Amino acid sequence: MPTDLTQLSAHTLLGLYRSRKVSPVDVTRAVLARIDSLQPHYNAYRAVDAEFALVQARASETRWQRQKPLGGLDGIPVAFKDLLNVKGFPTRKGSLATPDTPAGEDSPAAARLRESGAVILGKTQTAEFGWKGLTETKLAGITPNAWDRQYASGGSSGGAAVAAALGLGPLQVGTDGGGSIRQPAAVNGVFGFKPTYGRVAGYPAAHNGSLFHIGPLTRNVTDAALLLNVIAAPDVRDWSSLPKDIGDWTAGLDNGIKGLRIAYSRTLGYLKVDAGIAAVVDRAAARLADLGAIVEAVDPGFENPAPILDALAAERAVRLRRDIGAAGLALVDPAIRESVEKAEQHSLTDVVAAHQARAALGASLRRFHQRYDLLVTPVTSQPVPRLGTAPAAPFLSPFNLTQQPAAAVPAGIDSNGLPVALHIVGPQFADLRVLRAARALERHQAFPILHLSALL
């Protein structure tokens, strides 16, 4: 039996379950013990129900003994960012303005994983209402970087990224409304994938509407694909969810990228990037060429879409105020309150114009991808900052506006000794192509894994 079950991938664990060399109970106990050990130092989880997790693990163990698993992730521990409903757990959204009462029903992702027999561990920390790229809240405190606790973990899926990096559960479900999967994945050295909008159904509707994507944070690409096998499914509660048109997301992962036309944009044409980070990403782009892709240095040709996002923030602000009221707004971080007040100054005319500009941006990227199969950029523009400051990741939010699939793929180390990632973006619905490119890089250079002896 392997000595440290928390270091094994979900893919490996499933093989061990089939051969009866390892039990879901063994794995769940190992993960819970690691959470007990590291949670006081890293604060990755907001809530864990160890007793409930072991009940699920024992039921899974019985099913595997009979060789009758419920689904493709039976017995695999999983956790959910605390913006997503999981029945029996409060959804606090990182805020004192939310009730501490258990959710009465699962979000679609949680429902599909529960049906699959996965072992639900609990909820990971999030920035308050997912508003910032920093997982530090009045409700739950600070979640530091998995590699160095003096540095920021990013956000808003910071707890999920740290948990994945530390081996606190092989599968983590996060959300991304402007980079909230990819940015923390990048600075914690794990793989983060934002699927095409609607690929993973969402319910209840998010404050930032159709910018909001749900996806995996894992330590390798194959595990992310295995998670998508379960959660990439429609749900009647989400009218924008896509049909389940891919049966097995792991099929074709190792087919390589030979012949793919890849555009490499170091700055998107309007950003400034730290020289050290640029060098890491340059090398990653060169590796794609070594692997057979046709890589061309070219910008996608759009202007900074920050004005679009600023105007659309008015919709998010209205939804937040509606949900928590004046009393709730008095409890949130002052920066969020100021942001809400600023956003609500936008007129209806501003919002309509922003939607028109968003549509034009989406059309321009569709034209761009008629020539290029993928676009690659950095994820972050500066080295990871210390606690209290959000990592700068200005490359990400444009592709929430356009609803494209995108991934943060570990690529190297910054001047602080912390992870740097390559950003891989595909055209709408070409999720598997993005995963394939990420897997090609992973096979060329394995992603880093933190070991317990190096942490404390």
Side-chain angles (χ1 to χ4, degrees):
M1 182 184 295
T3 57
D4 188 351
L5 298 176
T6 70
Q7 295 296 298
L8 300 183
S9 69
H11 179 263
T12 298
L13 290 173
L14 289 168
L16 292 171
Y17 292 170
R18 290 188 193 97
S19 64
R20 301 185 185 180
K21 293 179 180 178
V22 169
S23 156
V25 174
D26 300 328
V27 173
T28 301
R29 283 178 175 156
V31 170
L32 290 171
R34 193 167 174 93
I35 292 172
D36 283 345
S37 173
L38 297 184
Q39 176 66 10
H41 305 284
Y42 290 92
N43 193 34
Y45 278 84
R46 191 197 63 76
V48 175
D49 190 333
E51 183 178 348
F52 176 54
L54 287 169
V55 167
Q56 297 170 85
R58 292 185 188 104
S60 176
E61 179 181 65
T62 299
R63 292 191 294 269
W64 279 107
Q65 287 172 345
R66 296 171 179 170
Q67 294 297 309
K68 292 184 177 180
L70 274 181
L73 291 175
D74 201 332
I76 302 297
V78 62
F80 301 83
K81 180 180 179 180
D82 198 25
L83 293 185
L84 299 169
N85 282 359
V86 178
K87 186 177 180 180
F89 291 86
T91 307
R92 297 303 306 274
K93 302 183 179 180
S95 182
L96 295 169
T98 57
D100 191 19
T101 54
E105 64 177 334
D106 283 326
S107 62
R112 301 295 84 77
L113 283 160
R114 197 185 297 268
E115 293 161 2
S116 179
V119 174
I120 295 172
L121 296 169
K123 310 293 287 293
T124 54
Q125 303 284 20
T126 177
E128 188 169 16
F129 290 109
W131 207 277
K132 295 181 179 180
L134 189 64
T135 307
E136 302 180 14
T137 69
K138 291 180 182 178
L139 172 72
I142 296 171
T143 301
N145 192 285
W147 285 59
D148 188 326
R149 287 181 290 155
Q150 300 303 310
Y151 289 85
S153 64
S156 58
S157 303
V162 171
L166 296 178
L168 309 183
L171 301 180
Q172 302 291 330
V173 182
T175 71
D176 190 316
S180 290
I181 286 174
R182 293 161 290 161
Q183 181 244 48
V187 303
N188 288 283
V190 299
F191 179 66
F193 182 59
K194 176 183 80 73
T196 296
Y197 177 76
R199 183 72 72 190
V200 180
Y203 178 84
H207 289 146
N208 51 1
S210 61
L211 299 174
F212 189 80
H213 303 232
I214 301 165
L217 293 100
T218 58
R219 282 178 292 172
N220 62 73
V221 178
T222 300
D223 278 7
L226 286 171
L227 184 51
L228 288 172
N229 280 349
V230 175
I231 66 174
D235 190 287
V236 294
R237 296 170 292 175
D238 179 3
W239 68 272
S240 65
S241 57
L242 299 175
K244 190 176 178 68
D245 56 356
I246 294 179
D248 182 1
W249 287 86
T250 67
L253 272 187
D254 289 334
N255 286 353
I257 56 172
K258 186 176 181 179
L260 287 187
R261 300 160 300 171
I262 298 179
Y264 172 38
S265 177
R266 187 193 284 178
T267 68
L268 288 181
Y270 57 84
L271 296 170
K272 294 182 179 180
V273 180
D274 171 79
I277 289 177
V280 169
V281 180
D282 284 349
R283 288 193 293 271
R287 284 197 290 272
L288 293 172
D290 292 341
L291 294 170
I294 303 164
V295 180
E296 180 181 347
V298 61
D299 296 327
F302 58 81
E303 296 180 355
N304 189 339
I308 304 174
L309 291 160
D310 287 345
L312 294 182
E315 295 180 335
R316 183 182 188 183
V318 168
R319 293 185 184 111
L320 178 62
R321 185 184 289 275
R322 177 199 62 196
D323 284 356
I324 67 175
L329 279 176
L331 296 173
V332 303
D333 186 307
I336 294 179
R337 195 158 53 246
E338 292 169 11
S339 179
V340 167
E341 292 168 356
K342 179 182 176 182
E344 290 178 337
Q345 294 173 9
H346 284 281
S347 67
L348 178 59
T349 299
D350 294 335
V351 174
V352 170
H355 278 289
Q356 292 173 327
R358 180 185 184 183
L361 175 63
S364 73
L365 264 298
R366 284 195 170 194
R367 286 192 291 270
F368 181 78
H369 282 292
Q370 287 183 319
R371 180 174 179 184
Y372 297 102
D373 297 302
L374 296 169
L375 167 67
V376 297
T377 76
V379 171
T380 52
S381 60
Q382 298 296 320
V384 182
R386 289 188 173 267
L387 295 172
T389 302
F395 292 90
L396 308 183
S397 57
F399 306 102
N400 291 80
L401 287 168
T402 58
Q403 302 186 338
Q404 295 172 238
V409 186
I413 300 296
D414 71 13
S415 57
N416 293 327
L418 299 175
V420 174
L422 181 72
H423 190 212
I424 303 178
V425 183
Q428 267 184 306
F429 316 118
D431 306 56
L432 197 52
R433 191 183 306 164
V434 174
L435 293 173
R436 207 173 88 207
R439 174 63 181 149
L441 279 176
E442 180 183 33
R443 292 180 71 194
H444 187 76
Q445 178 178 316
F447 297 168
I449 294 178
L450 286 178
H451 296 283
L452 184 61
S453 60
L455 299 178
L456 298 175

